[in-house]
Amino acid sequence: MQTVILNSPFDMHLHLRDDEMLKLVAPLSSKTFSGALIMPNLMPPVDAKEALLFYKQRIKKAIGDNDFAPMMTLFFKNYSKEFLEDIKDEIIAVKLYPAGITTNSDGGVEVFDTVELAPTLNAMSELNIPLSIHGESNGYVMDRETEFLPVYESLAIAFPKLKIIMEHITTKEAVDLVQKYDNLYATITAHHLTLTLDDVLGNMLKPHLFCKPIVKSYKDREALVKIATSGHPKIMFGSDSAPHLKENKEKDNAAAGIFTAPIALQILVQLFNDNNKLENLQKFVSDNACNIYGLKPNKKTITFKEKDFKIPDFYEKGTQKVVPMYAGEILKWSIEA
Ligand code: NCD
Ligand code: ZN
């Protein structure tokens, strides 16, 4: 039986939510990951130091004894340099959402004007604080990421010392762009590496596979798989695991977000193995993030065996019930206890 060992995997894009949902999902990440970059799109968003530190405390309580680093992000607004200087040591990045583009992003940026954004972005650049971006326009849903690429490009040129992370890229065009500018980097999810739009609505409608940005075409998926499995140094794994209550996914106006935290690593082992690229998985799930963000790996090692793993139909605690991607299906790799 084949075995794969990963050292200190990091999830560089994770939604942990709050309250009861946090208590359900946090242990499911902290069990297998050494740390994660925590998204700030709570209601209200995390945009002040006290709120951020308090949220971090709640996360630490929810992960229990597991050795897991919650790496906090701040919701992008125009901040003063003094404010950023003061909060700098508590955050790993500032996360920018275009206004209204996804879950809890109403307070995001309305107009992308490099002059208007300059005071905050120059301060971040001087203080070495990376900028993480949900890059979508409000145009036609399949074109939203490509329509946003000129914004990435203008920011990369206007702020050449600012590290800009293109979150959850989904298209071939984004794969091309990230390689064009030294200060652009990207995360890729497990679901964008394995799904296309056919899986979401090619047969029966699958609300648990609905997310922002929507999964794309075969050509796009191929480009994503190619760059991720190559171990390219600018590409990191970020699950964008985004749990919503089962009842909020299975209704009219279903929420966007795919829950993958407890199964993403097994999916990645299978994908890299199927592509004969297992030797690059360590880079994708840990080493590249360590280099880009300056993280220190911990001693956690996760062992995978080529043995069937049936994905649970749901994960549940108290009143909280969430359905993972591929619920009820069989993966070829399991995590060894
Ligand atoms: C995320 C969420 O639910 O918070 N949803 C999603 O579909 N990915 C927000 C986001 O990252 O877009
Ligand atoms: Zn997200």
Side-chain angles (χ1 to χ4, degrees), residues 13 15 17 41 97 102-103 134 168 211-212 240 242 244 256-257:
H13 183 135
H15 298 270
R17 314 300 192 206
N41 62 332
Y97 292 91
T102 188
T103 312
H134 181 119
H168 43 52
C211 67
K212 304 280 181 71
D240 194 16
H244 291 276

Side-chain angles (χ1 to χ4, degrees), residues 5-9 32 34 298-303:
I5 294 174
L6 292 177
N7 297 311
S8 196
T32 46
S34 295
N298 70 7
K299 296 248 145 44
K300 209 177 256 183
T301 60
I302 307 293
T303 306

Side-chain angles (χ1 to χ4, degrees), residues 165-311:
I165 293 89
M166 303 165 65
E167 293 297 336
H168 43 52
I169 58 170
T170 65
T171 56
K172 179 177 185 310
E173 290 75 16
V175 167
D176 293 340
L177 185 70
V178 68
Q179 300 174 78
K180 196 170 153 192
Y181 294 93
D182 283 349
N183 56 336
L184 291 181
Y185 303 85
T187 60
I188 304 182
T189 73
H191 48 277
H192 291 106
L193 288 170
T194 49
L195 302 172
T196 70
L197 197 56
D198 267 354
D199 297 294
V200 189
L201 38 77
N203 191 5
M204 303 290 262
L205 179 65
K206 303 283 191 190
H208 295 289
L209 304 182
F210 168 57
C211 67
K212 304 280 181 71
I214 192 87
V215 300
K216 304 277 181 335
S217 70
Y218 292 89
K219 165 205 91 174
D220 293 311
R221 184 178 66 176
E222 192 185 318
L224 296 171
V225 168
K226 191 168 169 214
I227 195 162
T229 59
S230 78
H232 193 291
K234 295 176 109 186
I235 306 294
M236 304 169 271
F237 172 61
S239 72
D240 194 16
S241 178
H244 291 276
L245 289 177
K246 182 174 190 287
E247 68 225 45
N248 290 334
K249 293 287 291 175
E250 298 175 2
K251 63 165 198 173
D252 193 14
N253 293 319
I258 304 183
F259 181 57
T260 54
I263 56 158
L265 286 175
Q266 298 90 316
I267 290 175
L268 292 175
V269 172
Q270 185 164 320
L271 175 81
F272 277 62
N273 184 54
D274 290 348
N275 285 276
N276 292 316
K277 293 284 186 201
L278 271 178
E279 72 275 15
N280 290 331
L281 184 54
Q282 177 65 32
K283 297 177 202 157
F284 182 59
V285 299
S286 182
D287 300 356
N288 294 344
C290 289
N291 292 331
I292 294 166
Y293 278 107
L295 312 181
K296 283 210 179 66
N298 70 7
K299 296 248 145 44
K300 209 177 256 183
T301 60
I302 307 293
T303 306
F304 302 82
K305 285 260 183 272
E306 197 168 12
K307 191 173 115 198
D308 282 0
F309 162 56
K310 181 167 184 287
I311 299 181

Side-chain angles (χ1 to χ4, degrees), residues 5-219:
I5 294 174
L6 292 177
N7 297 311
S8 196
F10 287 107
D11 180 349
M12 299 314 288
H13 183 135
L14 177 64
H15 298 270
L16 282 181
R17 314 300 192 206
D18 210 343
D19 304 317
E20 295 309 301
M21 180 64 93
L22 170 65
K23 289 179 197 158
L24 165 63
V25 299
L28 298 173
S29 283
S30 63
K31 217 167 105 183
T32 46
F33 289 95
S34 295
L37 185 145
I38 312 299
M39 288 294 145
N41 62 332
L42 301 184
M43 212 59 150
V46 182
D47 61 0
K49 188 173 176 184
E50 218 161 276
L52 182 135
L53 293 177
F54 189 35
Y55 183 37
K56 186 173 180 180
Q57 265 181 30
R58 297 197 295 283
I59 294 172
K60 288 211 144 164
K61 203 164 156 206
I63 58 181
D65 295 334
N66 289 314
D67 187 3
F68 177 86
M71 298 176 272
M72 307 305 289
T73 62
L74 187 70
F75 190 94
F76 183 93
K77 285 185 178 170
N78 282 315
Y79 293 112
S80 71
K81 186 160 185 199
E82 295 68 49
F83 172 84
L84 291 169
E85 221 156 8
D86 181 53
I87 202 166
K88 178 178 167 322
D89 293 342
E90 306 296 342
I91 59 175
I92 183 156
V94 175
K95 172 70 187 279
L96 186 156
Y97 292 91
I101 206 68
T102 188
T103 312
N104 301 342
S105 62
D106 290 349
V109 171
E110 302 272 354
V111 186
F112 287 89
D113 180 325
T114 46
V115 177
E116 212 160 289
L117 296 170
T120 306
L121 295 185
N122 280 327
M124 285 173 56
S125 193
E126 282 160 34
L127 295 167
N128 250 319
I129 304 173
L131 174 69
S132 139
I133 303 185
H134 181 119
E136 286 196 284
S137 74
N138 55 11
Y140 171 59
V141 67
M142 293 301 278
D143 294 340
R144 285 179 190 173
E145 185 175 275
T146 4
E147 285 180 2
F148 192 87
L149 296 181
V151 178
Y152 279 127
E153 197 153 12
S154 63
L155 293 173
I157 293 168
F159 306 98
K161 296 236 158 69
L162 180 67
K163 265 189 185 160
I164 300 171
I165 293 89
M166 303 165 65
E167 293 297 336
H168 43 52
I169 58 170
T170 65
T171 56
K172 179 177 185 310
E173 290 75 16
V175 167
D176 293 340
L177 185 70
V178 68
Q179 300 174 78
K180 196 170 153 192
Y181 294 93
D182 283 349
N183 56 336
L184 291 181
Y185 303 85
T187 60
I188 304 182
T189 73
H191 48 277
H192 291 106
L193 288 170
T194 49
L195 302 172
T196 70
L197 197 56
D198 267 354
D199 297 294
V200 189
L201 38 77
N203 191 5
M204 303 290 262
L205 179 65
K206 303 283 191 190
H208 295 289
L209 304 182
F210 168 57
C211 67
K212 304 280 181 71
I214 192 87
V215 300
K216 304 277 181 335
S217 70
Y218 292 89
K219 165 205 91 174

